[in-house]
């Protein structure tokens, strides 16, 4: 993806925005040393897939041109009619006085009011589980859950045209039923946290990374850290067959992070 964007910079005006994961990746490398707590936090929130993708491409480390591109990312972009920012904004502040934490991490659990400039805000970060753009007039959220089995969405803000594709580039319209398909583990029914679902190639059982623990989050962190260390094996809790990352079948995102195990 970064190669595509870097190539695109040479053909048109590209204004890339920074997200929280971009900041986490750069934070793990900023001083030339790895910040271990930050690295583990990043790995547990999707960084493992980034590490594996570079390894699969034969890269021993992240290429310098990718790091340079990430350093060019902007916290926001503003036009005469729109504000573009990764996550959120404070409606009563100009964009150059916004908190980076708000712009990068604050979800839309509580919707902000219209920005005092009356400009339309276009944001991401907060997953829309029905696979459709959230449009309340003064705010549009185009995060439609591509990290959770939903589509990747592009929006032409002038014409209102929408493009959605799946992870293999196929045109896609995702129903709310599909988006909810991995909300609960089909084996143990747990919903806490965010962790992967696998399908065993031997016995065809679907299970989550927390099926054998009271706290699925701990198991998932061990799995993700193992992936980053190139130890990409675990076992099916039913038949004990070896499972690899290629057997991943979806992601569970918990509805209640206070509930740690058992059927809800």
């Amino acid at each position: 993806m970064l190669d595509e964007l870097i190539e695109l910079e040479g053909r048109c005006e590209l204004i890339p925005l920074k997200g929280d994961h971009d900041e986490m990746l750069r934070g793990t490398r900023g001083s030339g040393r790895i910040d271990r707590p930050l690295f583990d936090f990043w790995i547990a929130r999707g960084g493992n897939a980034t590490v594996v993708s570079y390894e699969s491409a034969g890269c021993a480390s992240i290429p310098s041109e990718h790091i340079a591109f990430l350093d060019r990312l902007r916290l926001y972009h503003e036009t005469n009619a729109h504000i573009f920012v990764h996550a959120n904004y404070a409606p009563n502040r100009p964009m150059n006085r916004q908190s980076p934490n708000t712009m990068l991490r604050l979800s839309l659990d509580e919707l902000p009011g219209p920005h005092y400039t009356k400009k339309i805000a276009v944001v991401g970060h907060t997953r829309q589980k029905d696979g459709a753009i959230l449009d309340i007039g003064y705010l549009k959220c185009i995060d439609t859950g591509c990290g959770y089995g939903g589509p990747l969405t592009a929006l032409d803000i002038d014409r209102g045209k929408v493009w959605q594709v799946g992870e293999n580039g196929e045109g896609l319209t995702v129903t709310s039923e599909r988006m909810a398909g991995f909300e609960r583990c089909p084996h143990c029914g747990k919903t806490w946290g965010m962790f992967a679902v696998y399908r065993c190639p031997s016995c065809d059982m679907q299970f989550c990374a927390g099926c054998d623990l009271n706290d699925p989050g701990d198991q998932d962190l061990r799995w993700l850290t193992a992936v980053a260390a190139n130890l990409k094996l675990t076992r099916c809790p039913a038949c004990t067959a070896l499972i690899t990352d290629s057997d991943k079948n979806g992601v569970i995102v918990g509805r209640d992070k206070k509930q740690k195990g058992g059927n809800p």
Side-chain angles (χ1 to χ4, degrees):
M1 181 196 70
L2 291 177
D3 286 336
E4 291 281 350
L5 292 174
I6 291 169
E7 192 272 335
L8 193 60
E9 276 187 315
R11 295 194 285 113
C12 67
E13 182 183 17
L14 181 72
I15 303 174
L17 300 183
K18 180 186 289 187
D20 51 326
H21 290 262
D22 306 311
E23 185 182 60
M24 281 190 281
L25 169 59
R26 289 300 289 118
T28 64
R29 298 174 50 88
S31 64
R33 300 178 179 178
I34 290 181
D35 179 327
R36 192 70 207 186
L38 180 59
F39 179 78
D40 288 343
F41 184 84
W42 175 64
I43 284 294
R45 284 153 182 82
N48 67 301
T50 301
V51 172
V52 171
S53 70
Y54 279 105
E55 290 176 348
S56 299
C59 298
S61 62
I62 299 175
S64 59
E65 58 268 28
H66 288 192
I67 296 297
F69 178 84
L70 293 172
D71 286 342
R72 295 195 295 272
L73 300 179
R74 306 184 190 184
L75 279 172
Y76 68 92
H77 177 62
E78 195 168 3
T79 68
N80 291 331
H82 292 86
I83 292 166
F84 302 89
V85 65
H86 176 68
N88 210 325
Y89 62 92
N92 59 340
R93 290 189 176 186
M95 294 308 295
N96 62 3
R97 294 182 57 198
Q98 297 278 334
S99 160
N101 189 62
T102 296
M103 291 190 283
L104 292 172
R105 299 181 184 85
L106 185 63
S107 69
L108 299 176
D109 293 339
E110 294 185 10
L111 291 172
H115 196 260
Y116 77 93
T117 61
K118 308 301 181 185
K119 295 178 180 181
I120 296 173
V122 182
V123 306
H125 189 69
T126 302
R127 176 175 65 118
Q128 304 305 302
K129 294 184 179 181
D130 60 0
I133 291 174
L134 171 68
D135 186 347
I136 56 174
Y138 66 86
L139 180 147
K140 303 177 191 293
C141 179
I142 62 172
D143 185 333
T144 50
C146 67
Y148 306 92
L152 177 66
T153 296
L155 168 66
D156 183 330
I157 59 168
D158 294 321
R159 299 177 182 84
K161 185 174 180 180
V162 175
W163 294 265
Q164 292 189 312
V165 296
E167 63 180 339
N168 296 314
E170 73 278 15
L172 187 64
T173 300
V174 176
T175 65
S176 57
E177 288 78 14
R178 177 178 172 183
M179 291 295 290
F182 291 115
E183 291 293 336
R184 295 170 184 261
C185 172
H187 180 64
C188 69
K190 292 172 183 173
T191 62
W192 182 77
M194 184 177 85
F195 44 99
V197 177
Y198 303 91
R199 183 183 294 276
C200 176
S202 295
C203 69
D204 205 41
M205 189 185 90
Q206 282 186 281
F207 64 96
C208 75
C211 275
D212 58 338
L213 291 177
N214 290 328
D215 187 341
D218 289 346
Q219 172 68 24
D220 196 37
L221 184 58
R222 285 203 296 272
W223 168 267
L224 296 174
T225 304
V227 170
N230 209 28
L231 303 173
K232 304 168 188 174
L233 298 176
T234 188
R235 291 186 179 274
C236 171
C239 71
T240 70
L242 286 175
I243 303 297
T244 69
D245 197 51
S246 63
D247 298 312
K248 186 182 292 185
N249 197 46
V251 176
I252 296 173
V253 180
R255 295 188 181 93
D256 183 359
K257 292 187 177 182
K258 294 180 181 179
Q259 181 173 337
K260 296 188 178 182
N263 291 321

